[in-house]
Structures are given as C-alpha cells and as structure tokens.
Amino acid sequence: MDGPVFDAMLKTALEEALWLDAEEMREKTPQLSSQHRRRMRRMLENPWSYLHSGMEGQTRRRHPVRYLAIFAAVIVLTGTAAGYALRGGSFRDMFDASPWAEVYGGAADTGQLLDMGGELDTVFVESGGLRFEMLDALSDGQVAMVSVRLTMLEKRNQLRTFARGVNFEEVEIASEDGGEISIYSLSISSWMSEGHEDLKPGQYSLIFTINDLALTEGGKYEIRLKDLVGEKNKPLFPGEWTLAVTLQPAQVLNLRPECTCTLNGAEWRLERLTVSPLALTMEFRYVSGAWDGEWNFLSNISIHLKDGRTINSFTTGACGSDSELSLTLEFQMPVDVPQIESVTVSGEEIPLKM
C-alpha cells in the first residue's frame, strides 16, 4: 500500500474514532466546556495534523506532557483527571509576564513550577447558571495556588453589575481528611482587569492561595463555594459548587537559626525558619520585654540575594498571640532558594545556612 492511500485511510479512521468518542462523551456529559468544544472541532477538522504534531514531540502550551494524537483525543473527550495535570503551566505564564521578574532578576526561576503541579480532579463544574473550569494548580510545600475560570452563562443583561465585582457568600477549603484550612485567600479578576485580556465579558479569573505547612505531604483538597454575590453582598447566583485538586508532596528547607530579634521593643526568639520557592515563614517565641501588640516591624523586613540584590517586594502575613508569632512572606516570583543569602528583620540579619 502506497503512502498517500495509507494516509487517507488512517485519517478516515481517526475521524470516525473521534466522532464515535464525541457522541459517547455527549451522552455522559451533555455540557462540554467551550475550550473542549474548540479542541474537538480543531481535531475533527484536521486529525492527521494532530498525529504528526504529537509524533514530532511538540509541546502543548498548557500541557507540557507530550502525547500522541490518539492519547490526546482520549484525554480531551473523556475528561479524566490524569489528562488535566497541568503541572504549573498556566501559573508559569502568569509569572513570566509579571513586572516583578526584573526586580527578582536571576533569583527568579519559573521553570521549577513544572515540577510542582497538581492533578485537577474536577476539571469543570456547571450548574446554577455558572461554569467553573479548573486551569492549573501547584504547591511548593508551604503555599498552594489553584487557578479557576468562572463563566457566567445566564443574566448577561446584568454584565455591568458583575463587572464591578463579585464574590462568594461562603468559601471553604478542606483537606482529604476533613481538616479545614484556616489560612487562604481568593483573588478575583474580571475581563476588564489589566493583564486578563484572554477573558471574555462574563468571565472571571479566580486564584485560590493556601498557606499550610501540611502541604508538604500533598494530598487531595476540596474548594467549596456557596452563593455568588455582587455589590453589597446581593445574591446573584445561589448554589453550591465543589472543586477538587490533588497536590504533590513537596520538600521545603527547614532551619533553626536560634537567634533573638527585637520586635516593637520586645525580645522574640526565632525558633524556626522555613523556605520554599513561593514563601519564607518565620516562627517566633516571646522571651522578654513589653510587647505592645503592634506590627510596625513588618515594614522592616528585607530579603538579601547572593547577587547583591535586596528584595522588599513580597506579601506579608502575620498571626500570633502574646507568646508566639508567625510571619509568612509570599514572594512575587518563584525564587531559586539557594540564591537567598539572608533575611533581615528589624535590623537583625539572619543568614540562611543551607
């Protein structure tokens, strides 16, 4: 059999297989996401090109793992969790385009995000007039981030109301063993936000950030949402939605500096310092002095890099009591940990001895 005839037969077989799989998928999942439909349409228009691109080892933008065409088709059509292990691809794009990349210089390393990804167990949820599509997830052992695209399927005549802001009546994040995560945040950006030109009217970017040292163990986490509300907490879309993600185990650098810092007039002993690509955490215990309960010292924290740069651009979180304090510095860029030389807190420089 000559080459052209074989190519034509194989192309026809691929088209038939794709259509059969598509019909089966429609029976199982009537509402495919627009992204799935676009991919399906492209594959049906030219399945042979998908086979060649896979054999040549080209990398898909959001899926760094290389697939042959038939495997790519199965992943798109079945919606299996394994097919949506994005492994830091979407977040890597976000950090690469960040204005903070120049500030962090050579200490920034976005390539390591590809080894910090998670499996998107839910993929997408659609009910109550909303669609949630999970795009990416990663964890460095201290901080986890989950990216979700929210699409408003109904009430588009209220678009101006939605553009001014949305939120949820309840947000809960829990681990597989049922333990609720108490430290997390949710960032919501709309199609009108700078840097989100890929969103369409009625779409929102949701980024959930989790802070927990238990992330070193990895495991499954659920994001539970209830009732989308708008300005003045006015109910817009009542309902409940659950998104699940499995995060990989991760290693962090744990140090015991055993030094004392003066924080607002009181002496505090630094008992533990934990560093990972996305964060630096310090745990203090009260020693002596008059603690006034103020947090003014948070503005006197700096990170020193081995190339001579000093970084003051990070997000600082603090919690504690009269006897204990915990500070978390979330970096604006994923950092190559060995490039950090020291951290200064209220004038006390603490070297990071690897």
Side-chain angles (χ1 to χ4, degrees):
M1 184 180 301
D2 59 26
V5 175
F6 177 78
D7 286 356
M9 292 179 63
L10 181 56
K11 180 178 184 295
T12 301
L14 281 171
E15 289 175 340
E16 292 176 354
L18 289 170
W19 276 117
L20 289 173
D21 286 342
E23 290 299 326
E24 182 179 353
M25 185 58 189
R26 288 191 188 98
E27 294 177 3
K28 295 180 179 179
T29 310
Q31 294 293 331
L32 289 176
S33 72
S34 58
Q35 184 181 24
H36 296 169
R37 288 195 293 268
R38 287 196 300 271
R39 287 179 182 168
M40 184 65 203
R41 185 167 57 251
R42 290 197 299 268
M43 295 177 76
L44 289 171
E45 289 173 352
N46 195 358
W48 182 234
S49 68
Y50 267 77
L51 179 61
H52 277 297
S53 66
M55 294 178 66
E56 293 167 3
Q58 295 182 4
T59 303
R60 297 170 64 188
R61 179 177 177 80
R62 296 185 183 273
H63 296 261
V65 182
R66 299 173 181 178
Y67 302 103
L68 291 175
I70 193 65
F71 293 127
V74 170
I75 287 166
V76 170
L77 296 174
T78 62
T80 58
Y84 290 85
L86 302 185
R87 310 185 69 81
S90 177
F91 281 118
R92 186 182 183 186
D93 291 344
M94 180 187 76
F95 281 117
D96 281 337
S98 169
W100 298 108
E102 184 177 351
V103 175
Y104 280 70
D109 178 10
T110 59
Q112 61 188 315
L113 299 181
L114 298 178
D115 296 322
M116 293 160 49
E119 292 186 359
L120 309 181
D121 302 326
T122 300
V123 184
F124 73 94
V125 172
E126 186 174 306
S127 67
L130 299 176
R131 178 190 297 132
F132 297 84
E133 297 174 86
M134 299 189 74
L135 303 180
D136 203 356
L138 59 86
S139 171
D140 74 340
Q142 290 195 101
V143 176
M145 301 175 69
V146 181
S147 175
V148 177
R149 179 168 56 224
L150 167 63
T151 301
M152 180 179 62
L153 303 175
E154 301 175 1
K155 304 181 182 179
R156 298 188 60 90
N157 60 321
Q158 299 185 33
L159 186 58
R160 291 183 180 180
T161 301
F162 286 91
R164 288 196 292 268
V166 297
N167 213 322
F168 294 91
E169 181 67 26
E170 295 181 15
V171 178
E172 179 182 279
I173 300 179
S175 59
E176 188 174 21
D177 60 8
E180 186 176 348
I181 304 300
S182 59
I183 303 178
Y184 62 84
S185 63
L186 168 59
S187 171
I188 303 179
S189 302
S190 73
W191 59 280
M192 298 179 67
S193 304
E194 184 178 354
H196 286 280
E197 293 82 2
D198 56 330
L199 296 177
K200 298 177 181 178
Q203 290 188 331
Y204 299 83
S205 171
L206 314 182
I207 296 182
F208 299 87
T209 303
I210 306 170
N211 300 88
D212 192 349
L213 281 174
L215 292 168
T216 57
E217 302 297 325
K220 187 172 182 177
Y221 289 79
E222 287 189 347
I223 301 173
R224 302 161 187 169
L225 308 172
K226 180 180 179 180
D227 296 347
L228 184 72
V229 298
E231 285 187 321
K232 300 180 181 179
N233 289 328
K234 180 181 179 181
L236 299 173
F237 287 96
E240 297 184 7
W241 306 271
T242 298
L243 308 170
V245 60
T246 299
L247 302 174
Q248 299 180 21
Q251 293 184 344
V252 299
L253 176 65
N254 283 291
L255 303 175
R256 303 274 181 184
E258 297 183 357
C259 65
T260 301
C261 299
T262 301
L263 309 178
N264 281 34
E267 299 296 313
W268 294 80
R269 184 173 61 252
L270 178 57
E271 296 195 328
R272 183 178 182 183
L273 191 152
T274 309
V275 192
S276 57
L278 296 176
L280 185 151
T281 299
M282 293 175 282
E283 297 178 1
F284 295 88
R285 184 171 294 276
Y286 173 79
V287 177
S288 63
W291 168 246
D292 59 11
E294 298 294 332
W295 302 89
N296 301 335
F297 63 89
L298 296 179
S299 61
N300 297 320
I301 301 177
S302 300
I303 295 174
H304 308 285
L305 306 177
K306 290 183 177 179
D307 65 0
R309 292 174 185 250
T310 297
I311 301 297
N312 302 101
S313 303
F314 40 77
T315 301
T316 305
C319 62
S321 63
D322 291 340
S323 60
E324 296 179 344
L325 292 178
S326 178
L327 306 180
T328 298
L329 314 180
E330 290 185 22
F331 306 135
Q332 303 288 3
M333 295 289 296
V335 174
D336 181 14
V337 173
Q339 299 302 314
I340 303 176
E341 187 170 63
S342 64
V343 56
T344 296
V345 182
S346 290
E348 181 72 27
E349 185 171 5
I350 305 162
L352 272 63
K353 298 178 181 179
M354 306 299 181

